[in-house]
Amino acid sequence: MKKREQALAASTAAAAACAASSAKAASAAASASTSAAAAAAAAATPGAVNQTQVSPAPTYVSQQSGSGGATEVPVLPLSLDPLVTSLNSAKRHLGDNFDQRIKVRACQFAMTPDNKILFACGYWDKSFRVYSTDTGKIIQCNFSQDCYVVTGSSDCTLLLWLWSSKSSAIVGDSPDAPAPKATLTGHHEEITVVAISAELGIIVSGSKDGLLLMHTTHGELIRSLDLPPGTSVPDLVSINREGVICVKLDDDVCASYTLNGKLMRHVNAHDRLEAMILSRCGQYVITAGDSGTAEVRRTHDLAAIYAFPVCDSPIRSLALTHDQKFLLAGMSTGCLIVFNIDFNRWHHEFQERYA
């Protein structure tokens, strides 16, 4: 009787493994049909955390074919924008007037909360521009929710602007000549990175001389953050809702600070990082770079808890969908790869492990 139960258990495990393999095959086929140039390897990079969880398989819907039969078509999280394939798609190209002396990076672009407006900077005339994501047209060019926009420049200053959703424009004291709400000073070299938290009312910025400063949204300088030993220039910075500040330095080092400026932890990412993004809850930070691997880390101690499959080219930018269910990775080849992501899974695992 015992042998029969063992055989039955082995058969069930084999069937589950077969189902998982089928789900992987279906997911790979769907990804290949979406972008033939975007491929992902199945194994993690050496030294990456072990991947023990399988991404959920895509859902399918029945669709009538021309012969009268029904075929199953995968439901993908993204659909191709019709304007991309139209003859007027050139209107949505933003890179004509970028300053050739500046390396284009993800921190040069920002979106409003409703994803209808794109802010872009790094142009030859030292301006930042406001684009409509629906039409690709410039709404405004400036030397239902308002938001702050902060820009840093090579003259060592930062400017704080106010975006009005009612008028869909940068506003100031005079409607004809928008002016910044505040000018932030304290840096002695060119600004390399900046991040703002309207909820906490703080702005964190870094410059080429390795200075990392914290200002209020009223323009007051609060403090300077000490960099970890042996590091130099801040490249990327993000702020979560609890006031934890994550910084990536040019030496491939990630560091986390408290709102009071205390260095909590710094780790070597062993990768030339090009992108960093925080989850909406602020408990996780995702990093990616030249190795083509996106890693999920806990914010407070920067411990790596998950690594996505390796992509076939370096990752230059990261973005999360509004529902926090999909991670979008922009590749150096121009491809876009979409990963399933579930932050609740790691949250529950952490609670069960230390309960």
Side-chain angles (χ1 to χ4, degrees):
M1 186 66 178
K2 187 175 181 180
K3 292 183 178 179
R4 182 177 180 183
E5 292 177 354
Q6 292 176 347
L8 181 59
S11 175
T12 305
C18 181
S21 300
S22 300
K24 286 182 179 180
S27 179
S31 299
S33 63
T34 304
S35 176
T45 54
V49 293
N50 185 27
Q51 301 180 37
T52 58
Q53 314 234 0
V54 179
S55 297
T59 56
Y60 292 83
V61 295
S62 297
Q63 182 176 346
Q64 295 293 332
S65 62
S67 58
T71 58
E72 290 188 343
V73 179
V75 179
L76 300 176
L78 294 180
S79 59
L80 187 63
D81 190 339
L83 292 177
V84 175
T85 56
S86 67
L87 296 177
N88 296 326
S89 60
K91 294 188 300 182
R92 297 165 66 89
H93 191 266
L94 310 180
D96 290 338
N97 301 317
F98 283 118
D99 192 335
Q100 299 300 316
R101 298 169 296 177
I102 300 176
K103 178 183 177 182
V104 178
R105 298 186 299 162
C107 61
Q108 291 179 223
F109 306 92
M111 298 288 293
T112 55
D114 57 7
N115 293 327
K116 293 183 178 180
I117 300 298
L118 169 70
F119 299 96
C121 65
Y123 292 94
W124 65 272
D125 58 357
K126 299 180 175 58
S127 67
F128 77 92
R129 304 181 184 184
V130 184
Y131 290 88
S132 167
T133 56
D134 292 332
T135 62
K137 294 181 178 179
I138 296 179
I139 297 178
Q140 190 175 14
C141 179
N142 298 287
F143 297 87
S144 120
Q145 176 178 344
D146 296 345
C147 61
Y148 288 114
V149 179
V150 60
T151 59
S153 64
S154 58
D155 65 357
C156 312
T157 63
L158 299 109
L159 298 179
L160 181 66
W161 310 79
L162 181 63
W163 168 263
S164 171
S165 60
K166 182 178 180 180
S167 58
S168 294
I170 296 290
V171 296
D173 297 333
S174 172
D176 298 330
K181 291 293 182 181
T183 300
L184 285 58
T185 60
H187 289 284
H188 307 293
E189 295 286 344
E190 177 182 336
I191 308 297
T192 57
V193 67
V194 63
I196 183 172
S197 172
E199 295 175 337
L200 301 174
I202 62 170
I203 300 169
V204 178
S205 57
S207 55
K208 276 190 174 181
D209 57 357
L211 200 59
L212 194 62
L213 300 181
M214 183 187 299
H215 291 80
T216 68
T217 50
H218 298 290
E220 301 170 349
L221 177 61
I222 304 176
R223 61 178 55 88
S224 173
L225 308 181
D226 295 329
L227 299 185
T231 58
S232 53
V233 182
D235 266 348
L236 302 168
V237 62
S238 296
I239 311 169
N240 73 0
R241 293 180 175 180
E242 280 124 20
V244 177
I245 303 166
C246 293
V247 182
K248 180 264 169 181
L249 302 148
D250 65 345
D251 303 284
D252 304 331
V253 173
C254 290
S256 60
Y257 296 84
T258 65
L259 194 59
N260 293 326
K262 180 182 178 182
L263 177 63
M264 294 192 297
R265 174 93 178 192
H266 67 278
V267 297
N268 195 320
H270 302 290
D271 185 12
R272 187 174 182 82
L273 300 180
E274 296 287 348
M276 181 171 65
I277 187 173
L278 284 165
S279 63
R280 182 182 300 165
C281 65
Q283 297 182 12
Y284 305 99
V285 58
I286 307 171
T287 59
D290 287 353
S291 68
T293 303
E295 287 187 332
V296 182
R297 299 175 179 270
R298 288 197 298 263
T299 307
H300 66 280
D301 60 0
L302 299 177
I305 59 176
Y306 187 79
F308 289 94
V310 184
C311 301
D312 61 352
S313 60
I315 298 176
R316 292 291 178 257
S317 62
L318 293 171
L320 288 165
T321 56
H322 183 71
D323 56 8
Q324 302 279 287
K325 291 183 178 179
F326 299 99
L327 173 68
L328 283 66
M331 318 303 294
S332 61
T333 58
C335 297
L336 183 68
I337 295 182
V338 184
F339 296 102
N340 288 302
I341 192 168
D342 184 6
F343 294 107
N344 292 327
R345 177 179 66 190
W346 299 306
H347 181 68
H348 294 319
E349 285 180 357
F350 182 79
Q351 282 187 332
E352 293 173 0
R353 186 178 304 174
Y354 297 100

